[in-house]
Amino acid sequence: MSGANSTNLIDLQIMWNRLIAVVEEQAQVLLRTAFSPIVRECGDLSAGVFDSKGRMLAQAVTGTPGHVNSMAESVKHFITHFPLHTMKPGDAYITNDPWMGTGHLNDFVVTTPCFKDGKLVALFSCTSHLMDIGGIGFGPDATDVFMEGLYIPMLKLIDQGVVNETLMSMIRTNTRLPIDTEGDTYSLAGCNDVGCQRLVEMMEEFHIDELDHLADHICDRSREAALAEIAKLPKGTWRNSMVVDGYDEPVTLSATLTISDTGIHVDFAGTSAASRFGINVPLSYTTAYTVFGLGCVVASQIPNNAGSLAPLTVAAPSGCILNAPKPAPVASRHIIGQMLPDVVFGCLRQIIPERVPAEGTSCLWNLIVRGETRSGAGGNYGFSMAVTSNGGTGARFAKDGLSATAYPSGVRGTPVEIAETQTPLIFWRKELRPDSGGAGRTRGGLGQIIEVGSGIGTPFDILAAFDRIDHPPRGRDGGRNGEAGYVGLKSGQKLRGKGFQTVPPDDRLVVMTPGGAGIGDPKERAEASVRDDVESDLVSSEKAAGVYGFSRQA
C-alpha cells in the first residue's frame, strides 16, 4: 500500500470518528435543551447524520435503539416527500407518523438538510419523546391511532429560516403541555443546526466538498465487518416463541431466525394478530429492536450505521401485532416491541448460549401519571409525566443480571427528585425488590418496589402499560423464573396491568417491577455469591436456604 493511500485511509478513519463525535454533540444539545423530563433526564432520544441517499452514517451513543434504528429508515421517507433538489439552506422537516417515524405519535422526528457552499452534503435527523400530544393520553386504551393524539404528516417545519407558525400553533393547541411541547420542537430543530455547523467545520478542516467517498467507506467497511462476524456462526434455521400478557388476552411472539452467507433474517410468522388496543407495533419499530438484539450479540463492536444494519433483515406478516397497519392504535408499542431482543435471544441461545442472557423484564415499566395541579403549571394544563423505571435483566452466562436496568431500551431511570419537582406526587418508596431475581448459577437482576401518593390531596391517573405480570421472564438451563410484576394500591386493591385507572387521594400506588430470570442450577451458584446476596439484602435467608441450599452458619 502506498503512502498516499495509507494517509487517505487514516484520514477516512479520523473523519469517521469525527462524525460520531459530531452526532454525539448533536444529541447532547437535544438532551440539555429539551423540556420533557423523559428526554433531558432519561435520554429518550436519537440523533444521527445521513448522506444524500438517506444512509445513516453515524448515530449518537446517547439515545434508544427504538428511536435510532427506526429513524434510520425515516430519513428515506423525508427524501421521498421532499426531493433533495427542492431543499434549501434553513429548511427543516417534521413528522410523527408512526409508520414513517419511530412507531407512535409521541415521538417527533425532525430532519434538516446540511449545506456547504450552497451544496447539500448531508442530512441531520433527530427524535425525542414528547410527553403529551393530546388525544386520550400516552396509554394503551385507544382503539385507533386517531384517538391517540395529534397526527403530523410530513410537513415543512422551517422554510429557509422562517418557522411555520401555523403548524406551531396547531401543535401548541393540541396538547395538555403546550409549553413543553413547543420547547421540545425547537430543541429538536436546534440540535440539528448544531450538527450541521460541526459537520461543515470538519469538512473545511479536511478540505473535502462532499461526503460520498467517506459514506461509501463507512458503509462498505461496516457491512464487511458485520458479515465477517456472521460468517463465524453456523448456518441454519432456529425457532423460538414467547408468550406475554397482552392487553385483554395473551400475545404469542414467534420468530424463525435464519443465518446464511448473506446475513441474518428473522421472520415473525406465527405471531398473534394485531390487538384492538394500543399495544400494536409498526414494522419499523419491530425491525429496530430486532436488529438491535441481533447486533448486541453478533456485531457489538461494530459502529451502528446503514452498513452494519444491512445484513440484518426482518419480516412480519401484515396484520400481526408486529406489523400492524394504519390506523391501528400504537401508543404503547414499546410494551411488545421491547420484548423482541429476548425473542431472538431464544433462537441464538440454541447455538451460542454463552453470548446471550436469560429473559429479563425487557419492556419499560414507566409510571405514566397525569392529574391536576393546585396552583397551575405556568401555561400547561395540569401535569403529565412518564416516570421511567424498569425491572431486572436476565442473568448472563458468567455474570448476574443487572438490577433495575432498562434493557433493551437504555433510558435512565427518572430521579425521584425530578419527578417530585415536576409533579405534585410524593414517592414514599423506591428500592430494590428482594428475592425478585430468578435464582440460578448466575442470578437474574432485581426489580424495584415503588410507592407513590398525592402530595396535594387530589386523585391522579395512572395510564398503566405494564407486562410480565401474568408471564414472568423464563429461566433457562435449570435457572428459575424472575418474579412477576405487580401493580396495585396500598389499600390492597390489585390494578390492571394495562389501561387508564385512578389512584384515590387517600391511597398510594404500589408498583413492583419484575426480576430477570436465572441461568443454571441454583445449587451450582458460588457460596460466596450467595453470602454476598444475603448480606446485601438482595436474597432472603429463607430463599438462600430453600433454593440455594445455603446456611449463614455454614
Side-chain angles (χ1 to χ4, degrees), residues 154-398:
M154 291 275 176
L155 292 176
K156 184 176 283 190
L157 174 65
I158 304 174
D159 186 354
Q160 298 184 69
V162 179
V163 175
N164 184 338
E165 292 295 349
T166 301
L167 174 57
M168 290 305 302
S169 180
M170 291 292 293
I171 291 172
R172 283 192 301 269
T173 306
N174 285 277
T175 172
R176 300 169 183 88
L177 305 175
I179 303 298
D180 295 22
T181 304
E182 181 177 18
D184 284 332
T185 304
Y186 284 123
S187 176
L188 288 160
C191 82
N192 280 355
D193 289 345
V194 171
C196 291
Q197 181 181 345
R198 295 293 182 263
L199 175 62
V200 171
E201 290 172 358
M202 184 202 86
M203 295 176 70
E204 290 175 345
E205 180 180 338
F206 285 88
H207 306 291
I208 59 174
D209 295 320
E210 45 82 24
L211 294 180
D212 294 351
H213 185 39
L214 175 61
D216 289 342
H217 173 77
I218 290 172
C219 293
D220 291 346
R221 297 292 83 73
S222 299
R223 180 176 179 275
E224 291 168 2
L227 286 173
E229 292 300 318
I230 293 170
K232 299 175 184 177
L233 303 176
K235 305 299 184 290
T237 298
W238 294 268
R239 295 174 175 83
N240 182 48
S241 63
M242 189 169 79
V243 178
V244 295
D245 298 356
Y247 187 103
D248 52 350
E249 59 184 1
V251 169
T252 298
L253 305 173
S254 295
T256 300
L257 182 148
T258 300
I259 302 175
S260 67
D261 291 333
T262 59
I264 301 178
H265 181 70
V266 178
D267 191 322
F268 287 106
T271 290
S272 294
S275 171
R276 293 188 302 121
F277 299 99
I279 59 172
N280 297 296
V281 191
L283 185 60
S284 60
Y285 196 82
T286 292
T287 301
Y289 269 105
T290 302
V291 300
F292 175 70
L294 294 173
C296 286
V297 175
V298 176
S300 61
Q301 303 303 311
I302 302 170
N304 196 54
N305 55 53
S308 57
L309 291 172
L312 310 176
T313 57
V314 178
S318 179
C320 80
I321 200 168
L322 297 178
N323 187 7
K326 182 180 178 178
V330 291
S332 297
R333 88 294 192 229
H334 61 285
I335 298 300
I336 301 297
Q338 290 175 8
M339 298 289 187
L340 299 181
D342 268 353
V343 177
V344 297
F345 289 165
C347 297
L348 292 172
R349 78 176 181 86
Q350 299 171 49
I351 53 173
I352 44 174
E354 72 283 355
R355 293 168 64 178
V356 296
E359 292 179 3
T361 301
S362 299
C363 64
L364 285 166
W365 268 60
N366 290 339
L367 277 63
I368 305 166
V369 290
R370 189 174 69 193
E372 298 177 357
T373 54
R374 177 171 291 169
S375 58
N380 289 329
Y381 300 95
F383 72 90
S384 182
M385 187 174 186
V387 182
T388 58
S389 61
N390 209 320
T393 70
R396 293 163 288 180
F397 193 77

